[in-house]
Structures are given as C-alpha cells and as structure tokens.
Amino acid sequence: MSLGERLEAYLTRVWGQPTTVEDLSRIPGGASRETYRFVARVDGQTRPLILRRDPPGSLIETDRNLEYLALESFHDKLPAPRPVAMDVEGGELERPFFIMERVEGGVAASPFTVGPYGDHAREIGQRFFEILGTIAATDPTDLPLAKVAPAPAPEDCWRVALDHWSGIMDADEQHPQPIVRAAIRALRRRPPPPAQAIRVVHGDYRTGNFLHDGAGKILAVLDWEMVHLGDPLEDLGWALDPLWSHFEADKAGGMLPRDEALAIWRRTSGLEIDEAALAWWSLFNAVKGQTIWTSAAKEYRDGGFKDPVLAISGWYTARRHDQILAAALMRLEGLS
C-alpha cells in the first residue's frame, strides 16, 4: 500500500467520511521529520495539508506530541500552522506523525544563502524578533503544551538544558571534540543566573524556520520539534547564533543590527537581557548546534539514513560551529 493510500485510510477513519489524497509529494530539506505536502478531498471540500512523519533515522530525537501541542498553543497567537490530527502510535502510516494545515505562498530561506530577504530584511527582522518576544511573553501555564512539557525550576533551566545536550554528545561523539568539551566545562563552571520566568522555548527559532511572502511579511513559524519549557534567553541566543547570519556578521539573522533586535525582543517580551546570561546561552547554543551536527554525522555513517542534509550538517556546519564555539567561549571568559 502506498503512502497516499495509507493517508486516505487514516483520514477516512478519523474524519468518518470518505477522503481522497492527491498531489502528495515530499518536501526536501530537514532531517528530524519526513515532510510531505498533499491535498485532501472530503465532503466536497479541498484541504491543502502537510504531513510530518518520523523518519527511520533522525538528526535529532524529538517528541511529535510536543510539536503538535506547541502548534495548538500558538497558532491563534502568532503566525503558525493550525494542527489537524496526530497519531503517536503511527496507525496506518506505521510511524508517529501529525498533520497540519498548509500555509500557502511562502518561502523559507536557506541559511547558506547571502541576503535572502533583499530590501525587506529589516522589516522581516523586526517581525521575526517581535514574534520571538511574543513567545517569551506568553505564560505557558494554561497552554495545551503545559499538559505534557515539564517545567524546570528557574535555577535549574541551564543545568537541564546542558545535561541534555552534553548527554547526546557523549552518546554520539565519534572523534575527539576538544572545543565542545572546553565549552561544556566553562558552562558548568560559570552557570547563568536563574531564569527571569519559565516560558515556552521554541528550540529552533532561526532564519530558515519560517515562511515569508517575499514582500516583508512572515506567514508562518515552523519546526517546533525541539519545543520545551525553560529560560527564554535560550531561544534568543539561538536566533542570534552567527551560523544563521547569512554571512553578515554585523546583523542578527542577516536582517537588522543586534542592538535593534534585542530592543525589539525586550519591548515585546517584557523581559530584561543580562548580557552575561545571554553570553552563557550563546555559548550553550553553539554546543547544542555542534551536538546536532555530531549526531547528524553519526546517523549518516552508521544509521543507514542517507539524507544528504545529514552529511552536509556533519561536515560543513560542524566546522563553522567549531569557529563559533571558540569565539563564544572567549566572550564568556571575558565577561566572567
């Protein structure tokens, strides 16, 4: 049975009406989910949808339930796709998956391109950091996501995050990683202050993970698979990581000056920015990034999952993040 036929069987069952699937095609890129676009026809209606299914192997191990509930929590608060259905057991599709509405007319920028936003870079950047500030301003207590996402104590956010990613590095490291190990030691020696507030952390908020219309408007924030509760400075540090600068070192995300980006985030979130704390989270995020690329390389070599994204991640991005790590480590040491 083809994937389209399996989808038809699943949707017919859960919607209780005969459903046909048309125009099913794989969307290239990404390695933590298989992503497909398709059209579902049911009860005389045409519904453009997206399927996100767990692959046989993955760049990162994530919980599809969290991603689905994050969309359920935020689709009415900021640009994000509306979730439609989820099956954590796999059902007819054999592997865990969820389905969400498709946002039409948008494009995502590759982080390896120069100047992808053209004349609209500043406008997009302003909205980009406003949205991130909105996430950081939202009390998660009554969100659907809070039903399943554990909330660490403010003083434990850094330790929970660092233990998680250093544990993955321990498991997946295939050759000595002296820069990462030095960074981890420095992070443990100089922990940041407790989080100002426990907030939703998108986990992968960056350029390339949103759709824009080419005219200055952000249509949808995507890829919530690493969502969790924690210190909102974690998201801010990842968004500012030089890897996502589109080779424009003087601009946050290749969009607007860093000071302006921080001012927008501060105003929208209602939170303060301790530069020493942000330096800690920036170094942490470089560790996280290098750990992701290390896991990608291991999966490509040993896991039998030959998506070229994994190979590129384990080679090119890993080398760039070694340089970013070294610079961030020096900054943290200088602020101590």
Side-chain angles (χ1 to χ4, degrees), residues 27 37 50 79-81 100-109 117 124 127-128 131 205-223:
I27 297 175
R37 68 176 72 240
I50 293 290
M100 60 186 180
E101 291 183 350
R102 190 164 83 219
V103 177
E104 303 281 27
V107 61
Y117 307 116
I124 291 176
R127 184 61 179 136
F128 176 81
I131 293 170
Y205 193 92
R206 58 174 177 83
T207 62
N209 273 350
F210 64 84
L211 299 177
H212 68 100
D213 67 353
K217 183 178 181 180
I218 292 179
L219 301 177
V221 175
L222 307 175
D223 294 341

PDB file of all heavy atoms in Angstrom, residues 27 37 50 79-81 100-109 117 124 127-128 131 205-223:
ATOM      1  N   ILE A  27       8.682  17.148   0.638  1.00  0.00           N
ATOM      2  CA  ILE A  27       9.326  18.458   0.672  1.00  0.00           C
ATOM      3  C   ILE A  27      10.777  18.237   1.056  1.00  0.00           C
ATOM      4  O   ILE A  27      11.062  17.676   2.119  1.00  0.00           O
ATOM      5  CB  ILE A  27       8.637  19.389   1.676  1.00  0.00           C
ATOM      6  CG1 ILE A  27       7.180  19.637   1.254  1.00  0.00           C
ATOM      7  CG2 ILE A  27       9.388  20.720   1.787  1.00  0.00           C
ATOM      8  CD1 ILE A  27       6.390  20.453   2.252  1.00  0.00           C
ATOM      9  N   ARG A  37       3.743  17.460   1.344  1.00  0.00           N
ATOM     10  CA  ARG A  37       2.561  18.274   1.067  1.00  0.00           C
ATOM     11  C   ARG A  37       1.545  17.402   0.343  1.00  0.00           C
ATOM     12  O   ARG A  37       1.918  16.502  -0.409  1.00  0.00           O
ATOM     13  CB  ARG A  37       2.931  19.499   0.229  1.00  0.00           C
ATOM     14  CG  ARG A  37       3.364  19.159  -1.192  1.00  0.00           C
ATOM     15  CD  ARG A  37       3.623  20.404  -2.032  1.00  0.00           C
ATOM     16  NE  ARG A  37       4.847  21.074  -1.636  1.00  0.00           N
ATOM     17  CZ  ARG A  37       4.910  22.316  -1.184  1.00  0.00           C
ATOM     18  NH1 ARG A  37       3.797  23.033  -1.061  1.00  0.00           N
ATOM     19  NH2 ARG A  37       6.057  22.850  -0.860  1.00  0.00           N
ATOM     20  N   ILE A  50      -0.169  19.436   5.331  1.00  0.00           N
ATOM     21  CA  ILE A  50       1.220  19.000   5.476  1.00  0.00           C
ATOM     22  C   ILE A  50       1.246  17.796   6.403  1.00  0.00           C
ATOM     23  O   ILE A  50       0.610  17.804   7.462  1.00  0.00           O
ATOM     24  CB  ILE A  50       2.098  20.122   6.067  1.00  0.00           C
ATOM     25  CG1 ILE A  50       2.223  21.294   5.090  1.00  0.00           C
ATOM     26  CG2 ILE A  50       3.472  19.584   6.445  1.00  0.00           C
ATOM     27  CD1 ILE A  50       3.053  21.019   3.868  1.00  0.00           C
ATOM     28  N   PRO A  79       1.858  33.838  13.761  1.00  0.00           N
ATOM     29  CA  PRO A  79       1.792  33.059  12.520  1.00  0.00           C
ATOM     30  C   PRO A  79       2.351  31.652  12.713  1.00  0.00           C
ATOM     31  O   PRO A  79       3.548  31.459  12.917  1.00  0.00           O
ATOM     32  CB  PRO A  79       2.671  33.872  11.554  1.00  0.00           C
ATOM     33  CG  PRO A  79       2.798  35.220  12.147  1.00  0.00           C
ATOM     34  CD  PRO A  79       2.724  35.031  13.633  1.00  0.00           C
ATOM     35  N   ALA A  80       1.484  30.679  12.691  1.00  0.00           N
ATOM     36  CA  ALA A  80       1.875  29.277  12.840  1.00  0.00           C
ATOM     37  C   ALA A  80       0.775  28.414  12.241  1.00  0.00           C
ATOM     38  O   ALA A  80      -0.408  28.771  12.307  1.00  0.00           O
ATOM     39  CB  ALA A  80       2.095  28.901  14.309  1.00  0.00           C
ATOM     40  N   PRO A  81       1.116  27.276  11.659  1.00  0.00           N
ATOM     41  CA  PRO A  81       0.088  26.412  11.056  1.00  0.00           C
ATOM     42  C   PRO A  81      -0.875  25.871  12.105  1.00  0.00           C
ATOM     43  O   PRO A  81      -0.499  25.617  13.248  1.00  0.00           O
ATOM     44  CB  PRO A  81       0.908  25.278  10.421  1.00  0.00           C
ATOM     45  CG  PRO A  81       2.298  25.813  10.297  1.00  0.00           C
ATOM     46  CD  PRO A  81       2.475  26.752  11.452  1.00  0.00           C
ATOM     47  N   MET A 100      -0.926  18.989   9.662  1.00  0.00           N
ATOM     48  CA  MET A 100      -1.285  20.375   9.937  1.00  0.00           C
ATOM     49  C   MET A 100      -1.716  21.046   8.635  1.00  0.00           C
ATOM     50  O   MET A 100      -1.456  20.539   7.536  1.00  0.00           O
ATOM     51  CB  MET A 100      -0.107  21.127  10.549  1.00  0.00           C
ATOM     52  CG  MET A 100       1.135  21.180   9.690  1.00  0.00           C
ATOM     53  SD  MET A 100       2.540  21.933  10.577  1.00  0.00           S
ATOM     54  CE  MET A 100       3.815  21.847   9.315  1.00  0.00           C
ATOM     55  N   GLU A 101      -2.410  22.170   8.782  1.00  0.00           N
ATOM     56  CA  GLU A 101      -2.820  22.920   7.602  1.00  0.00           C
ATOM     57  C   GLU A 101      -1.596  23.481   6.887  1.00  0.00           C
ATOM     58  O   GLU A 101      -0.576  23.788   7.517  1.00  0.00           O
ATOM     59  CB  GLU A 101      -3.763  24.053   7.990  1.00  0.00           C
ATOM     60  CG  GLU A 101      -5.117  23.560   8.470  1.00  0.00           C
ATOM     61  CD  GLU A 101      -6.073  24.704   8.781  1.00  0.00           C
ATOM     62  OE1 GLU A 101      -5.619  25.871   8.801  1.00  0.00           O
ATOM     63  OE2 GLU A 101      -7.260  24.428   9.024  1.00  0.00           O
ATOM     64  N   ARG A 102      -1.691  23.598   5.585  1.00  0.00           N
ATOM     65  CA  ARG A 102      -0.592  24.122   4.784  1.00  0.00           C
ATOM     66  C   ARG A 102      -0.740  25.631   4.614  1.00  0.00           C
ATOM     67  O   ARG A 102      -1.824  26.122   4.284  1.00  0.00           O
ATOM     68  CB  ARG A 102      -0.552  23.436   3.423  1.00  0.00           C
ATOM     69  CG  ARG A 102       0.696  23.758   2.624  1.00  0.00           C
ATOM     70  CD  ARG A 102       0.888  22.774   1.493  1.00  0.00           C
ATOM     71  NE  ARG A 102       0.114  23.094   0.309  1.00  0.00           N
ATOM     72  CZ  ARG A 102      -0.501  22.211  -0.463  1.00  0.00           C
ATOM     73  NH1 ARG A 102      -0.475  20.932  -0.137  1.00  0.00           N
ATOM     74  NH2 ARG A 102      -1.151  22.589  -1.538  1.00  0.00           N
ATOM     75  N   VAL A 103       0.341  26.345   4.857  1.00  0.00           N
ATOM     76  CA  VAL A 103       0.377  27.788   4.642  1.00  0.00           C
ATOM     77  C   VAL A 103       0.862  28.026   3.213  1.00  0.00           C
ATOM     78  O   VAL A 103       1.957  27.622   2.836  1.00  0.00           O
ATOM     79  CB  VAL A 103       1.315  28.476   5.649  1.00  0.00           C
ATOM     80  CG1 VAL A 103       1.396  29.970   5.366  1.00  0.00           C
ATOM     81  CG2 VAL A 103       0.820  28.220   7.075  1.00  0.00           C
ATOM     82  N   GLU A 104       0.033  28.675   2.424  1.00  0.00           N
ATOM     83  CA  GLU A 104       0.332  28.841   1.008  1.00  0.00           C
ATOM     84  C   GLU A 104       1.099  30.137   0.738  1.00  0.00           C
ATOM     85  O   GLU A 104       0.986  31.124   1.464  1.00  0.00           O
ATOM     86  CB  GLU A 104      -0.983  28.879   0.210  1.00  0.00           C
ATOM     87  CG  GLU A 104      -1.868  27.642   0.420  1.00  0.00           C
ATOM     88  CD  GLU A 104      -1.402  26.440  -0.380  1.00  0.00           C
ATOM     89  OE1 GLU A 104      -0.203  26.338  -0.686  1.00  0.00           O
ATOM     90  OE2 GLU A 104      -2.251  25.597  -0.696  1.00  0.00           O
ATOM     91  N   GLY A 105       1.888  30.121  -0.321  1.00  0.00           N
ATOM     92  CA  GLY A 105       2.505  31.339  -0.836  1.00  0.00           C
ATOM     93  C   GLY A 105       3.762  31.789  -0.150  1.00  0.00           C
ATOM     94  O   GLY A 105       4.216  32.918  -0.362  1.00  0.00           O
ATOM     95  N   GLY A 106       4.372  30.935   0.680  1.00  0.00           N
ATOM     96  CA  GLY A 106       5.563  31.348   1.410  1.00  0.00           C
ATOM     97  C   GLY A 106       6.804  30.601   0.975  1.00  0.00           C
ATOM     98  O   GLY A 106       6.737  29.550   0.345  1.00  0.00           O
ATOM     99  N   VAL A 107       7.948  31.163   1.333  1.00  0.00           N
ATOM    100  CA  VAL A 107       9.234  30.538   1.034  1.00  0.00           C
ATOM    101  C   VAL A 107      10.102  30.631   2.280  1.00  0.00           C
ATOM    102  O   VAL A 107      10.021  31.596   3.046  1.00  0.00           O
ATOM    103  CB  VAL A 107       9.917  31.232  -0.168  1.00  0.00           C
ATOM    104  CG1 VAL A 107      10.195  32.695   0.128  1.00  0.00           C
ATOM    105  CG2 VAL A 107      11.207  30.518  -0.553  1.00  0.00           C
ATOM    106  N   ALA A 108      10.913  29.600   2.496  1.00  0.00           N
ATOM    107  CA  ALA A 108      11.867  29.591   3.603  1.00  0.00           C
ATOM    108  C   ALA A 108      13.267  29.806   3.049  1.00  0.00           C
ATOM    109  O   ALA A 108      13.642  29.214   2.031  1.00  0.00           O
ATOM    110  CB  ALA A 108      11.796  28.271   4.367  1.00  0.00           C
ATOM    111  N   ALA A 109      14.046  30.645   3.704  1.00  0.00           N
ATOM    112  CA  ALA A 109      15.395  30.959   3.230  1.00  0.00           C
ATOM    113  C   ALA A 109      16.387  29.912   3.717  1.00  0.00           C
ATOM    114  O   ALA A 109      16.377  29.525   4.883  1.00  0.00           O
ATOM    115  CB  ALA A 109      15.810  32.338   3.729  1.00  0.00           C
ATOM    116  N   TYR A 117      16.639  38.051   2.025  1.00  0.00           N
ATOM    117  CA  TYR A 117      15.435  38.856   2.234  1.00  0.00           C
ATOM    118  C   TYR A 117      15.455  40.172   1.464  1.00  0.00           C
ATOM    119  O   TYR A 117      14.479  40.919   1.493  1.00  0.00           O
ATOM    120  CB  TYR A 117      15.233  39.116   3.729  1.00  0.00           C
ATOM    121  CG  TYR A 117      15.236  37.850   4.540  1.00  0.00           C
ATOM    122  CD1 TYR A 117      16.230  37.603   5.487  1.00  0.00           C
ATOM    123  CD2 TYR A 117      14.273  36.864   4.330  1.00  0.00           C
ATOM    124  CE1 TYR A 117      16.239  36.424   6.224  1.00  0.00           C
ATOM    125  CE2 TYR A 117      14.274  35.685   5.054  1.00  0.00           C
ATOM    126  CZ  TYR A 117      15.270  35.471   5.999  1.00  0.00           C
ATOM    127  OH  TYR A 117      15.295  34.304   6.707  1.00  0.00           O
ATOM    128  N   ILE A 124      11.365  42.246   7.862  1.00  0.00           N
ATOM    129  CA  ILE A 124      11.216  40.859   8.301  1.00  0.00           C
ATOM    130  C   ILE A 124      11.894  40.656   9.651  1.00  0.00           C
ATOM    131  O   ILE A 124      11.363  39.979  10.539  1.00  0.00           O
ATOM    132  CB  ILE A 124      11.781  39.898   7.243  1.00  0.00           C
ATOM    133  CG1 ILE A 124      10.897  39.918   5.995  1.00  0.00           C
ATOM    134  CG2 ILE A 124      11.876  38.473   7.793  1.00  0.00           C
ATOM    135  CD1 ILE A 124      11.421  39.080   4.858  1.00  0.00           C
ATOM    136  N   ARG A 127       9.754  41.902  12.539  1.00  0.00           N
ATOM    137  CA  ARG A 127       8.657  40.972  12.846  1.00  0.00           C
ATOM    138  C   ARG A 127       9.194  39.678  13.455  1.00  0.00           C
ATOM    139  O   ARG A 127       8.575  39.111  14.367  1.00  0.00           O
ATOM    140  CB  ARG A 127       7.873  40.676  11.559  1.00  0.00           C
ATOM    141  CG  ARG A 127       6.657  39.797  11.766  1.00  0.00           C
ATOM    142  CD  ARG A 127       5.659  40.457  12.693  1.00  0.00           C
ATOM    143  NE  ARG A 127       4.458  39.636  12.882  1.00  0.00           N
ATOM    144  CZ  ARG A 127       3.887  39.423  14.054  1.00  0.00           C
ATOM    145  NH1 ARG A 127       4.387  39.973  15.162  1.00  0.00           N
ATOM    146  NH2 ARG A 127       2.813  38.672  14.139  1.00  0.00           N
ATOM    147  N   PHE A 128      10.343  39.220  12.971  1.00  0.00           N
ATOM    148  CA  PHE A 128      10.974  37.994  13.473  1.00  0.00           C
ATOM    149  C   PHE A 128      11.221  38.091  14.975  1.00  0.00           C
ATOM    150  O   PHE A 128      10.883  37.179  15.741  1.00  0.00           O
ATOM    151  CB  PHE A 128      12.285  37.780  12.718  1.00  0.00           C
ATOM    152  CG  PHE A 128      13.116  36.614  13.171  1.00  0.00           C
ATOM    153  CD1 PHE A 128      12.827  35.328  12.739  1.00  0.00           C
ATOM    154  CD2 PHE A 128      14.206  36.805  14.000  1.00  0.00           C
ATOM    155  CE1 PHE A 128      13.613  34.253  13.138  1.00  0.00           C
ATOM    156  CE2 PHE A 128      14.991  35.738  14.401  1.00  0.00           C
ATOM    157  CZ  PHE A 128      14.695  34.456  13.974  1.00  0.00           C
ATOM    158  N   ILE A 131       7.894  38.330  17.061  1.00  0.00           N
ATOM    159  CA  ILE A 131       7.269  37.022  17.275  1.00  0.00           C
ATOM    160  C   ILE A 131       7.999  36.261  18.376  1.00  0.00           C
ATOM    161  O   ILE A 131       7.370  35.651  19.253  1.00  0.00           O
ATOM    162  CB  ILE A 131       7.244  36.219  15.967  1.00  0.00           C
ATOM    163  CG1 ILE A 131       6.308  36.875  14.954  1.00  0.00           C
ATOM    164  CG2 ILE A 131       6.815  34.771  16.219  1.00  0.00           C
ATOM    165  CD1 ILE A 131       6.402  36.293  13.552  1.00  0.00           C
ATOM    166  N   TYR A 205      14.370  28.378  16.848  1.00  0.00           N
ATOM    167  CA  TYR A 205      13.865  29.625  16.273  1.00  0.00           C
ATOM    168  C   TYR A 205      15.021  30.336  15.578  1.00  0.00           C
ATOM    169  O   TYR A 205      15.934  30.862  16.223  1.00  0.00           O
ATOM    170  CB  TYR A 205      13.266  30.508  17.370  1.00  0.00           C
ATOM    171  CG  TYR A 205      12.450  31.663  16.831  1.00  0.00           C
ATOM    172  CD1 TYR A 205      11.082  31.530  16.636  1.00  0.00           C
ATOM    173  CD2 TYR A 205      13.051  32.878  16.514  1.00  0.00           C
ATOM    174  CE1 TYR A 205      10.325  32.583  16.136  1.00  0.00           C
ATOM    175  CE2 TYR A 205      12.300  33.937  16.011  1.00  0.00           C
ATOM    176  CZ  TYR A 205      10.944  33.776  15.821  1.00  0.00           C
ATOM    177  OH  TYR A 205      10.195  34.821  15.322  1.00  0.00           O
ATOM    178  N   ARG A 206      14.951  30.385  14.251  1.00  0.00           N
ATOM    179  CA  ARG A 206      16.062  30.934  13.464  1.00  0.00           C
ATOM    180  C   ARG A 206      15.594  31.219  12.044  1.00  0.00           C
ATOM    181  O   ARG A 206      14.492  30.820  11.646  1.00  0.00           O
ATOM    182  CB  ARG A 206      17.220  29.925  13.414  1.00  0.00           C
ATOM    183  CG  ARG A 206      16.819  28.569  12.817  1.00  0.00           C
ATOM    184  CD  ARG A 206      18.022  27.674  12.647  1.00  0.00           C
ATOM    185  NE  ARG A 206      17.688  26.356  12.163  1.00  0.00           N
ATOM    186  CZ  ARG A 206      17.490  26.037  10.882  1.00  0.00           C
ATOM    187  NH1 ARG A 206      17.563  26.974   9.941  1.00  0.00           N
ATOM    188  NH2 ARG A 206      17.222  24.797  10.531  1.00  0.00           N
ATOM    189  N   THR A 207      16.440  31.908  11.282  1.00  0.00           N
ATOM    190  CA  THR A 207      16.155  32.066   9.868  1.00  0.00           C
ATOM    191  C   THR A 207      16.158  30.682   9.224  1.00  0.00           C
ATOM    192  O   THR A 207      16.901  29.795   9.622  1.00  0.00           O
ATOM    193  CB  THR A 207      17.200  32.965   9.195  1.00  0.00           C
ATOM    194  OG1 THR A 207      18.486  32.355   9.302  1.00  0.00           O
ATOM    195  CG2 THR A 207      17.243  34.328   9.839  1.00  0.00           C
ATOM    196  N   GLY A 208      15.321  30.517   8.229  1.00  0.00           N
ATOM    197  CA  GLY A 208      15.172  29.211   7.602  1.00  0.00           C
ATOM    198  C   GLY A 208      14.039  28.402   8.181  1.00  0.00           C
ATOM    199  O   GLY A 208      13.567  27.457   7.553  1.00  0.00           O
ATOM    200  N   ASN A 209      13.581  28.770   9.375  1.00  0.00           N
ATOM    201  CA  ASN A 209      12.485  28.043  10.003  1.00  0.00           C
ATOM    202  C   ASN A 209      11.203  28.875  10.049  1.00  0.00           C
ATOM    203  O   ASN A 209      10.365  28.705  10.938  1.00  0.00           O
ATOM    204  CB  ASN A 209      12.862  27.578  11.408  1.00  0.00           C
ATOM    205  CG  ASN A 209      13.564  26.229  11.372  1.00  0.00           C
ATOM    206  OD1 ASN A 209      13.599  25.572  10.332  1.00  0.00           O
ATOM    207  ND2 ASN A 209      14.124  25.815  12.493  1.00  0.00           N
ATOM    208  N   PHE A 210      11.066  29.787   9.098  1.00  0.00           N
ATOM    209  CA  PHE A 210       9.792  30.479   8.929  1.00  0.00           C
ATOM    210  C   PHE A 210       9.563  30.714   7.439  1.00  0.00           C
ATOM    211  O   PHE A 210      10.506  30.746   6.635  1.00  0.00           O
ATOM    212  CB  PHE A 210       9.752  31.800   9.711  1.00  0.00           C
ATOM    213  CG  PHE A 210      10.736  32.847   9.259  1.00  0.00           C
ATOM    214  CD1 PHE A 210      10.452  33.693   8.192  1.00  0.00           C
ATOM    215  CD2 PHE A 210      11.945  33.002   9.915  1.00  0.00           C
ATOM    216  CE1 PHE A 210      11.352  34.666   7.783  1.00  0.00           C
ATOM    217  CE2 PHE A 210      12.850  33.972   9.515  1.00  0.00           C
ATOM    218  CZ  PHE A 210      12.555  34.810   8.440  1.00  0.00           C
ATOM    219  N   LEU A 211       8.310  30.862   7.081  1.00  0.00           N
ATOM    220  CA  LEU A 211       7.928  31.182   5.713  1.00  0.00           C
ATOM    221  C   LEU A 211       7.657  32.672   5.612  1.00  0.00           C
ATOM    222  O   LEU A 211       7.014  33.257   6.483  1.00  0.00           O
ATOM    223  CB  LEU A 211       6.666  30.409   5.311  1.00  0.00           C
ATOM    224  CG  LEU A 211       6.742  28.885   5.312  1.00  0.00           C
ATOM    225  CD1 LEU A 211       5.374  28.290   4.961  1.00  0.00           C
ATOM    226  CD2 LEU A 211       7.796  28.376   4.350  1.00  0.00           C
ATOM    227  N   HIS A 212       8.142  33.298   4.539  1.00  0.00           N
ATOM    228  CA  HIS A 212       7.832  34.697   4.299  1.00  0.00           C
ATOM    229  C   HIS A 212       7.323  34.851   2.873  1.00  0.00           C
ATOM    230  O   HIS A 212       7.540  33.986   2.016  1.00  0.00           O
ATOM    231  CB  HIS A 212       9.055  35.581   4.554  1.00  0.00           C
ATOM    232  CG  HIS A 212      10.170  35.395   3.574  1.00  0.00           C
ATOM    233  ND1 HIS A 212      10.388  36.246   2.522  1.00  0.00           N
ATOM    234  CD2 HIS A 212      11.125  34.433   3.473  1.00  0.00           C
ATOM    235  CE1 HIS A 212      11.434  35.849   1.824  1.00  0.00           C
ATOM    236  NE2 HIS A 212      11.897  34.746   2.372  1.00  0.00           N
ATOM    237  N   ASP A 213       6.649  35.966   2.624  1.00  0.00           N
ATOM    238  CA  ASP A 213       5.967  36.139   1.338  1.00  0.00           C
ATOM    239  C   ASP A 213       6.809  36.852   0.288  1.00  0.00           C
ATOM    240  O   ASP A 213       6.327  37.125  -0.818  1.00  0.00           O
ATOM    241  CB  ASP A 213       4.640  36.875   1.529  1.00  0.00           C
ATOM    242  CG  ASP A 213       4.821  38.330   1.968  1.00  0.00           C
ATOM    243  OD1 ASP A 213       5.961  38.737   2.256  1.00  0.00           O
ATOM    244  OD2 ASP A 213       3.796  39.049   2.025  1.00  0.00           O
ATOM    245  N   GLY A 214       8.072  37.180   0.620  1.00  0.00           N
ATOM    246  CA  GLY A 214       8.924  37.883  -0.326  1.00  0.00           C
ATOM    247  C   GLY A 214       8.692  39.368  -0.356  1.00  0.00           C
ATOM    248  O   GLY A 214       9.375  40.088  -1.092  1.00  0.00           O
ATOM    249  N   ALA A 215       7.751  39.850   0.448  1.00  0.00           N
ATOM    250  CA  ALA A 215       7.426  41.278   0.456  1.00  0.00           C
ATOM    251  C   ALA A 215       7.427  41.846   1.871  1.00  0.00           C
ATOM    252  O   ALA A 215       6.788  42.864   2.137  1.00  0.00           O
ATOM    253  CB  ALA A 215       6.072  41.510  -0.199  1.00  0.00           C
ATOM    254  N   GLY A 216       8.106  41.158   2.791  1.00  0.00           N
ATOM    255  CA  GLY A 216       8.261  41.691   4.138  1.00  0.00           C
ATOM    256  C   GLY A 216       7.350  41.106   5.192  1.00  0.00           C
ATOM    257  O   GLY A 216       7.391  41.550   6.342  1.00  0.00           O
ATOM    258  N   LYS A 217       6.548  40.101   4.848  1.00  0.00           N
ATOM    259  CA  LYS A 217       5.618  39.533   5.817  1.00  0.00           C
ATOM    260  C   LYS A 217       5.998  38.096   6.157  1.00  0.00           C
ATOM    261  O   LYS A 217       6.271  37.290   5.267  1.00  0.00           O
ATOM    262  CB  LYS A 217       4.192  39.549   5.250  1.00  0.00           C
ATOM    263  CG  LYS A 217       3.131  39.036   6.224  1.00  0.00           C
ATOM    264  CD  LYS A 217       1.742  39.117   5.609  1.00  0.00           C
ATOM    265  CE  LYS A 217       0.674  38.627   6.574  1.00  0.00           C
ATOM    266  NZ  LYS A 217      -0.692  38.695   5.978  1.00  0.00           N
ATOM    267  N   ILE A 218       6.025  37.785   7.454  1.00  0.00           N
ATOM    268  CA  ILE A 218       6.226  36.402   7.900  1.00  0.00           C
ATOM    269  C   ILE A 218       4.873  35.712   7.942  1.00  0.00           C
ATOM    270  O   ILE A 218       3.932  36.184   8.597  1.00  0.00           O
ATOM    271  CB  ILE A 218       6.915  36.361   9.279  1.00  0.00           C
ATOM    272  CG1 ILE A 218       8.358  36.876   9.162  1.00  0.00           C
ATOM    273  CG2 ILE A 218       6.895  34.938   9.847  1.00  0.00           C
ATOM    274  CD1 ILE A 218       9.124  36.900  10.472  1.00  0.00           C
ATOM    275  N   LEU A 219       4.768  34.597   7.243  1.00  0.00           N
ATOM    276  CA  LEU A 219       3.499  33.879   7.124  1.00  0.00           C
ATOM    277  C   LEU A 219       3.334  32.772   8.155  1.00  0.00           C
ATOM    278  O   LEU A 219       2.216  32.473   8.567  1.00  0.00           O
ATOM    279  CB  LEU A 219       3.376  33.279   5.719  1.00  0.00           C
ATOM    280  CG  LEU A 219       3.432  34.268   4.553  1.00  0.00           C
ATOM    281  CD1 LEU A 219       3.366  33.522   3.227  1.00  0.00           C
ATOM    282  CD2 LEU A 219       2.300  35.285   4.655  1.00  0.00           C
ATOM    283  N   ALA A 220       4.439  32.129   8.543  1.00  0.00           N
ATOM    284  CA  ALA A 220       4.329  31.015   9.483  1.00  0.00           C
ATOM    285  C   ALA A 220       5.676  30.698  10.099  1.00  0.00           C
ATOM    286  O   ALA A 220       6.697  30.664   9.402  1.00  0.00           O
ATOM    287  CB  ALA A 220       3.779  29.768   8.791  1.00  0.00           C
ATOM    288  N   VAL A 221       5.677  30.473  11.410  1.00  0.00           N
ATOM    289  CA  VAL A 221       6.846  29.949  12.119  1.00  0.00           C
ATOM    290  C   VAL A 221       6.718  28.439  12.147  1.00  0.00           C
ATOM    291  O   VAL A 221       5.680  27.896  12.557  1.00  0.00           O
ATOM    292  CB  VAL A 221       6.928  30.520  13.546  1.00  0.00           C
ATOM    293  CG1 VAL A 221       8.072  29.874  14.314  1.00  0.00           C
ATOM    294  CG2 VAL A 221       7.089  32.033  13.502  1.00  0.00           C
ATOM    295  N   LEU A 222       7.777  27.752  11.710  1.00  0.00           N
ATOM    296  CA  LEU A 222       7.743  26.304  11.525  1.00  0.00           C
ATOM    297  C   LEU A 222       8.692  25.592  12.500  1.00  0.00           C
ATOM    298  O   LEU A 222       9.359  26.221  13.309  1.00  0.00           O
ATOM    299  CB  LEU A 222       8.147  25.966  10.093  1.00  0.00           C
ATOM    300  CG  LEU A 222       7.385  26.684   8.967  1.00  0.00           C
ATOM    301  CD1 LEU A 222       8.003  26.321   7.622  1.00  0.00           C
ATOM    302  CD2 LEU A 222       5.906  26.319   9.007  1.00  0.00           C
ATOM    303  N   ASP A 223       8.710  24.268  12.396  1.00  0.00           N
ATOM    304  CA  ASP A 223       9.715  23.408  13.031  1.00  0.00           C
ATOM    305  C   ASP A 223       9.807  23.599  14.547  1.00  0.00           C
ATOM    306  O   ASP A 223      10.837  23.976  15.093  1.00  0.00           O
ATOM    307  CB  ASP A 223      11.081  23.626  12.381  1.00  0.00           C
ATOM    308  CG  ASP A 223      11.099  23.154  10.937  1.00  0.00           C
ATOM    309  OD1 ASP A 223      10.226  22.361  10.575  1.00  0.00           O
ATOM    310  OD2 ASP A 223      11.974  23.585  10.176  1.00  0.00           O
TER     311      ASP A 223
END
